[in-house]
Amino acid sequence: MDQQMFCFQCEQTAGCAGCTGKKGVCGKSEKTARLQDELTGALIGLARATNGGTLYTDDTWKIFIEGLFTTVTNVNFHDDTIRELMGRVHEDKEKLAPMCSGCGAPCGKTGDYDLSRLWHADEDIRSLKSLILFGIRGMAAYAYHAMVLGYTDEELNRFFCKALFAVGEDWSMEELLPIVMEVGKYNLACMELLDQANTETFGAPVPTEVPLTVEKGPFIVISGHDLLDLKLLLEQTEGKGINVYTHGEMLPAHGYPELKKYPHLKGNFGTAWQNQKKEFAGIPAPVLFTTNCLMPPAGSYADRVFTTEVVSYPEIVHIGSDKDFTPVIEKALALGGYTEDQPFAGINGGRTVTTGFGHDAVLGLADRIVEAVKAGDIRHFFLVGGCDGARPGRNYYTEFVKQTPEDAVVLTLACGKYRFNDLDLGTIGGLPRLMDIGQCNDAFSAIKIATALADAFGCGVNELPLSMVLSWYEQKAVCILLTLLYLGITDIRLGPTLPAFISPNVLSYLVEHYHIAPVSTPEEDLKALLHEGE
């Protein structure tokens, strides 16, 4: 860890240990990684200056949330914007504690935290602090999306401050472990806030079949999670002869009534985020990134990529807070799109995918689901979802879903579903066997569905015929996992590899108390989860 760069926050970190060279596997440079560490250290310094959140300006909470979101994997590769954000952090700290700048007293408020202290700490302390830090980075993404829709919660905001403060302190494992569990608690509240923001703004999602064909004529591809950006783009392209297609994390937008009403929101283009370099290389259309996951654009299409919100990349046109998408629209019209309809397909050859099985939609079927379970038509539920990535071994999830028995229902969410969401698994008693709940932003729906079914059967979630088989890539998966642990959910299968930042002792604790296990083979895991052969 003596190199200037050290990063092990994502699943694809080099050698499953940490990126330490000139460039990370995500494409982040050593310089950018160092700046992101400095930004995090500045945020910890700001947390100290707030005295646990008792001091703040009107902009303090936004700075915490935006700063943490900026450091999530595949969000921001632009050094200048990171420096600018650091400047805002320092300005806010000067307003909160103006006497600190010239003070040499060791009160903990006088300087930014040096994150190398964390990377060089005892491995168990480093493990717990990493769970806290990476967890609140993921949680900040959800808080950000709720915030842009006008939904905030001061208790959540104060917890960001508390958690950052804890990362900077020389606390023991016994002091840090409760903070780790609190990340799960507050992330549950944060996901619920985002669910409220999305459904009250855009309506409750409804099951919707989404074509994968791109029609002839000018079009724009929009990626990421920000539904407000999509709505603004749809408004600005209305009547201009430009069609709009979602990509990757934006697929669930098709289920929201207030977005479905735009006839030029046509379908979905491409698959998961890690395939973007191949899929974007030849399309005659611009691509707008509203959030992660942005990969460093290849030269063959870099002039057609646009960013907005916290996403940024050097020499890529950035749409500012005025949300004037004119450059994107002009590029779409200039490129002209395809001259004929282009029938694309999913990874498994399917021509359509279905999304929109949010908690309202699924719980509207609760009576039928309960009846099917009691009649023996549905034997088991599998929640197979999470982040996708390029590391070998992720075909496990495709094979797992293919091998689930015909009397099992598969619930899925996040971009891991692109491995199998175009499969036709058929139905059980008129109910689809494959139900796409949405993205990681919609994880609250999965929790609400599970708890509602447990209530219907008069049991706990762990007593349901439900198994969770999850993949992870970046920090939003970390905070979701901590939420599941906070809720006491056990026997989770996690893969394709376990986090490099989990020390053997912390892993032993998770195995002992929550029975977390790494995925093995689809055949072995299905046999174990279905209790076959017992």
Side-chain angles (χ1 to χ4, degrees), residues 267-426:
N268 191 73
F269 171 81
T271 52
W273 68 270
Q274 76 275 3
N275 300 321
Q276 64 189 256
K277 286 193 173 183
K278 176 179 67 177
E279 293 174 344
F280 293 164
I283 61 170
V287 181
L288 173 64
F289 280 90
T290 66
T291 57
N292 60 318
C293 291
L294 170 69
M295 297 177 72
S300 60
Y301 65 88
D303 65 323
R304 294 182 273 115
V305 173
F306 298 81
T307 61
T308 191
E309 296 295 341
V310 298
V311 192
S312 189
Y313 195 87
E315 299 181 7
I316 296 297
V317 176
H318 186 79
I319 306 299
S321 58
D322 62 353
K323 294 300 178 182
D324 181 358
F325 292 116
T326 298
V328 189
I329 293 169
E330 290 178 343
K331 180 67 74 171
L333 292 171
L335 291 170
Y338 293 109
T339 56
E340 300 292 339
D341 291 357
Q342 298 294 310
F344 292 99
I347 289 176
N348 301 287
R351 297 294 184 178
T352 64
V353 294
T354 301
T355 190
F357 286 95
H359 55 78
D360 281 3
V362 175
L363 296 181
L365 304 170
D367 290 344
R368 293 171 61 188
I369 293 172
V370 171
E371 182 181 339
V373 172
K374 290 181 177 178
D377 296 329
I378 296 178
R379 176 171 37 146
H380 208 82
F381 297 89
F382 293 98
L383 175 60
V384 185
C387 308
D388 203 6
R391 185 186 293 280
R394 288 183 179 268
N395 61 321
Y396 162 94
Y397 298 93
T398 308
E399 293 305 313
F400 185 96
V401 170
K402 285 181 177 179
Q403 294 180 36
T404 54
E406 293 183 356
D407 55 0
V409 170
V410 177
L411 305 171
T412 187
L413 77 163
C415 55
K417 64 173 173 280
Y418 278 104
R419 297 276 173 173
F420 51 80
N421 69 334
D422 63 321
L423 290 172
D424 183 2
L425 298 186

Side-chain angles (χ1 to χ4, degrees), residues 9 36 39-40 66-73 75 137 475:
Q9 69 178 6
Q36 289 188 354
L39 172 58
T40 303
E66 189 175 334
L68 286 166
F69 191 8
T70 294
T71 59
V72 169
T73 305
V75 171
R137 282 178 175 175
Q475 297 76 60

Side-chain angles (χ1 to χ4, degrees), residues 200-212:
E200 290 184 357
T201 304
F202 305 109
V206 295
T208 303
E209 187 176 37
V210 183
L212 303 181

